[in-house]
Amino acid sequence: MISSSVARRLRVCVATGLAMAAGWAAPAFAAGAMATGGLTSQPIGHYDFCKLNPGECSIRPANLAPATMNDGFMSKLISVTVKVNAAVKPMSDMDIYGKDEVWAYPDHGVGDCEDYVLEKRRDLAGMGVSLADLLITVVRKPDGEGHAVLTVRTDKGDYVLDNLTNKVKAWDQTGYRFLKRQAIDNTGRWVSIRGGQQILVGAVQ
């Protein structure tokens, strides 16, 4: 149950997101899609998540075409980003569960980066966006720390939804090094991203 104060805050944040979307214009030159490689190791957190939620990790989306990017779709991405970022309080897995690398839906209003990604993915899938276009992605931040974001595939390039900002950015404008992401044709498989580095910590080899 969301308190009235939180609900008011969410309404303000979503309104702000919609205003941001209204000022968005498609870039003259799209970022393009990430270049992916072959199958790679599944992050340990996702492996454990799949053991608890096997039905979510064996989906083969029927529609593999990238989503159509337009003002309405960008508005949807910004709205979901702002809403989830405001609704979930950042908290480490160690503080929540007493151990690291627990991927879970933030149903109790707290979570770390993977949990924000799962919630945004769930929200957008519920709005009809194909899971082939909603890909959990592992990156490395400029400071070297591992991080997870949601990659959204579109016909104008790949965009990133991030709990560290309410802006929806083209993937090559984030400053991150992209390592691996879910395969578009199977929610339980992962592929490497060319030009990235293999991440060793937290992966099932």
Side-chain angles (χ1 to χ4, degrees):
M1 186 72 178
I2 298 176
S3 69
S4 58
S5 62
V6 172
R8 284 195 298 272
R9 184 160 60 94
L10 287 176
R11 285 195 293 270
V12 170
C13 289
V14 170
T16 301
L18 292 175
M20 291 167 61
W24 176 83
F29 298 97
M34 297 176 202
T36 56
L39 293 176
T40 190
S41 56
Q42 181 182 18
I44 185 64
H46 192 246
Y47 175 80
D48 290 338
F49 174 82
C50 289
K51 287 198 296 184
L52 295 174
N53 305 276
E56 294 204 27
C57 299
S58 57
I59 299 170
R60 296 175 178 270
N63 178 13
L64 299 182
T68 300
M69 175 58 85
N70 52 37
D71 288 347
F73 190 68
M74 177 56 80
S75 177
K76 183 181 297 185
L77 298 183
I78 293 174
S79 178
V80 167
T81 297
V82 171
K83 184 188 76 170
V84 174
N85 285 358
V88 179
K89 177 183 177 181
M91 188 176 292
S92 71
D93 289 332
M94 187 61 68
D95 288 336
I96 301 171
Y97 305 105
K99 59 181 181 178
D100 290 323
E101 288 300 318
V102 179
W103 294 25
Y105 289 107
D107 292 331
H108 299 292
V110 294
D112 67 356
C113 56
E114 299 94 353
D115 307 337
Y116 285 86
V117 170
L118 287 169
E119 186 65 19
K120 291 170 185 174
R121 181 172 173 269
R122 178 165 66 175
D123 280 4
L124 288 164
M127 297 176 184
V129 182
S130 171
L131 289 176
D133 300 327
L134 302 173
L135 307 173
I136 307 170
T137 305
V138 174
V139 304
R140 197 179 297 281
K141 299 193 295 183
D143 63 5
E145 183 181 1
H147 185 47
V149 296
L150 182 65
T151 295
V152 180
R153 295 172 61 239
T154 82
D155 60 354
K156 291 185 172 63
D158 292 344
Y159 288 80
V160 166
L161 277 59
D162 193 345
N163 66 298
L164 300 180
T165 178
N166 286 335
K167 294 181 179 180
V168 174
K169 298 181 180 180
W171 71 278
D172 62 351
Q173 298 298 312
T174 61
Y176 296 147
R177 181 183 295 275
F178 286 75
L179 304 173
K180 63 177 75 176
R181 74 182 191 189
Q182 286 177 297
I184 68 172
D185 60 349
N186 188 322
T187 56
R189 293 188 175 184
W190 287 67
V191 295
S192 62
I193 298 171
R194 295 177 188 171
Q197 295 176 335
Q198 185 67 289
I199 187 166
L200 301 179
V201 177
V204 177
Q205 300 297 328

